[in-house]
Amino acid sequence: MNINALLDEKSIFIPMNASDKNSVISSMIDGLAASGSISNKEEYMNAVLTRESTGSTGIGFNVAIPHGKSKGVLKPGLAFAKLSAPTDWDSLDGQPVNIVFMIAVPEEAAGNEHLQILIALSRKLIDSDFRDKLMRIEHADQLKNLLAAI
Amino acid sequence: MKKLLAVTACPTGVAHTYMAAESLIKAAKEKDIPLKVETRGAVGVENEFTEQEIAEAHAIIVAADTDVLESRFAGKPVVKVPVAQAIKNPAGLLDEALSRQASAPGDFAQQVEQSKAQRSSSRSGPYKHLMTGVSHMLPLVVAGGLLIALSFVFGIEAFKEEGTLAAALMQIGGGSAFALMVPILAGFIAFSIAEKPGLAPGLIGGMLASSIGAGFLGGILAGFLAGYTAFALKKYIKLPRNLEGLKPILLIPLLASAITGLLMIYVIGEPVKGIMDGLTSWLTGLGTTNAILLGLLLGAMMAFDMGGPVNKAAYTFAVGLLASDVYGPMAAVMAAGMTPPLGLWLATLIAKNKFTKEEKDAGKAASVLGISFITEGAIPFAAGDPFRVIPSIIAGSSVTGALSMAFGATLRAPHGGIFVLPIPNAVGHVALYALAIIIGTVVTAILLSLLKKPVEQRLS
């Protein structure tokens, strides 16, 4: 099982032209809906925004990982956006964000391999070499090659 | 080398939990600190700490926005932060954890207290009900037993003279407090099962067990019978809404008491009385060999799980027998419950190189718990090194139990540690009894100092 199975072309945005955090989130949710991972956009959006309100998902190093667990999610999914302009995300380190991974998790999902893959991605984001490569991505293919190596 | 533990968790459990774990692992590698990270995320608990690891850890980092069963870390220094903090500043967290001091001996008693509280809250089912009954019965046994002992100050037969203080004390202790023992035991077992509607049938069943002569065994049966009967009636009787109010106040007490009472009189009472009579006469006429065997068994049970179900089984057996005027097992059980913490304390004095500084401090606190008959004082030591500590304390407690039985020591109070020894007549053969406790303590300490490894070897 490869992480790219969770990442549909329709939910990869390189680059994304968005002005603020909320429009980034709603564009990415549209992508996840188009790729068939989300059935109820509003419910999932609520879960994501609730998560943001308990503490920003801007983890620092110019990366954010908005995510939500919701009944509005059909199957685990991943969306990626490289923002054309650095966007404020109330990050832990106060820096604006260029790279956004959005993670969608169904309400009833314990211990399956999709989750393991998303977890592996989360762990990988701590690795600075991996992040440097993410920053340099220009095409969906490059992203897929990089993620395939996880 | 100081070892650290960290546990990470977040509400969604796919992102921050694992990024925090990864950050901490990376920072620890750079600083060359041994660190294990437990993650509690959407795929469940991974890398879960063992009790041994918790015991050996210098400090624990909790980077979590959800519950991570922190009670496991009782007595350990805990650095608690939101999960994001571990991603932002893992190195700072590690430094802070390393700088924390291990718990002071003052916290040790608190730690024991916590583990006791945790155990009682995790009890469930019949064991919980029985313990509820026993804990409500205990004050009656303490007050009754000691007042009877005081009446003997005026002479062992003094209470037979009416109008004397000795007779009054006997009337309070023996005639009233002890008479309530079995009914209260049964009543609160039933109360624990069925709440208020269970209490009356339980008390009545217990009273019947007492008057029939079925003793504490009959009382335990009556309590469960009354409790489950009341519980079933509460659940299965359906009344029209306007009559529903009659159920707890009229129907359940009436029916449950009738059922329990009739069963006690016609079915259960006689056979249980037979068992109780047999047990009592066997115990009072015990030959030395059997007395020693019983003492060995009760002693081993007291030390085996230090306040857990096996320990409580031995304890309940001994306390119940007080109601039938059998005092030997009570003495053996209390003595055997005192030696584990006392033995550990003595071991920290004679085998200094085998205990860490923290353990030596904890030993002082354990000595206080030991003389107060709080066997749980041995738990923190046993948790850290179970395969060496538990056999040692079982051996010491068995020896003490056997000696106490062999010396014919008796005890009229169910608790109190060394503080009941000076009360006149509370303990029979008090000097030999004290000797039994001392010998068991020494046996435990010698075994511990032979079995335990020196500190340097343990940590490497």
Side-chain angles (χ1 to χ4, degrees), chain B residues 373-451:
Chain B
F373 179 38
I374 297 173
T375 319
E376 284 88 342
I379 291 176
F381 291 92
D385 192 8
F387 299 112
R388 295 192 183 83
V389 171
I390 293 177
S392 308
I393 62 177
I394 288 182
S397 291
S398 304
V399 168
T400 295
L403 286 174
S404 170
M405 290 299 289
F407 293 155
T410 57
L411 175 63
R412 290 171 182 274
H415 215 292
I418 62 160
F419 303 103
V420 293
L421 300 195
I423 298 175
N425 299 311
V427 183
H429 298 293
V430 69
L432 286 172
Y433 187 57
L435 183 65
I437 295 174
I438 292 168
I439 293 176
T441 302
V442 171
V443 168
T444 307
I446 290 174
L447 279 174
L448 279 166
S449 46
L450 293 177
L451 288 177

Side-chain angles (χ1 to χ4, degrees), chain B residues 11 82 91 99 109 138 158 182 207 248 252 280 309 335 360 365 453:
Chain B
S99 72
L138 276 183
V182 175
M207 198 72 209
I252 297 177
T280 313
K360 277 177 227 161
K453 296 215 165 115

Side-chain angles (χ1 to χ4, degrees), chain A residues 25-79:
Chain A
I25 288 177
S26 67
S27 305
M28 293 181 82
I29 290 177
D30 288 340
L32 284 169
S35 62
S37 156
I38 293 180
S39 58
N40 186 331
K41 288 202 271 187
E42 248 171 63
E43 256 190 68
Y44 175 68
M45 171 86 112
N46 273 336
V48 171
L49 294 180
T50 307
R51 176 61 191 83
E52 290 297 325
S53 70
T54 62
S56 170
T57 58
I59 57 167
F61 341 102
N62 311 103
V63 176
I65 43 150
H67 54 276
K69 192 177 193 177
S70 155
K71 274 185 263 175
V73 179
L74 280 180
K75 55 177 185 147
L78 188 62

Side-chain angles (χ1 to χ4, degrees), chain B residues 286-299:
Chain B
L286 216 52
T288 312
T289 316
N290 282 337
I292 289 174
L293 287 176
L294 180 66
L296 277 173
L297 175 68
L298 289 174

Side-chain angles (χ1 to χ4, degrees), chain B residues 127-189:
Chain B
Y127 178 59
K128 176 188 150 199
H129 305 317
L130 179 61
M131 282 305 118
T132 305
V134 170
S135 68
H136 283 86
M137 171 180 73
L138 276 183
L140 289 168
V141 192
V142 173
L146 293 179
L147 287 168
I148 293 171
L150 282 177
S151 121
F152 294 147
V153 174
F154 303 97
I156 211 82
E157 302 278 321
F159 68 91
K160 289 183 175 161
E161 189 107 358
E162 272 182 53
T164 59
L165 182 58
L169 288 170
M170 182 54 87
Q171 193 186 344
I172 302 168
S176 309
F178 267 33
L180 281 166
M181 257 178 77
V182 175
I184 291 293
L185 171 65
F188 279 91
I189 290 173

Side-chain angles (χ1 to χ4, degrees), chain B residues 182-183 185-187 189 202 205-206 209-210 214-224 264 272:
Chain B
V182 175
L185 171 65
I189 290 173
S210 226
F216 81 101
L217 285 179
I220 291 173
L221 284 172
F224 280 106
M264 285 304 294
V272 178

Side-chain angles (χ1 to χ4, degrees), chain B residues 207-239:
Chain B
M207 198 72 209
L208 285 165
S210 226
S211 57
I212 293 169
F216 81 101
L217 285 179
I220 291 173
L221 284 172
F224 280 106
L225 187 60
Y228 287 122
T229 307
F231 187 79
L233 291 171
K234 202 163 86 174
K235 202 166 156 192
Y236 294 113
I237 294 184
K238 295 272 178 276
L239 285 182

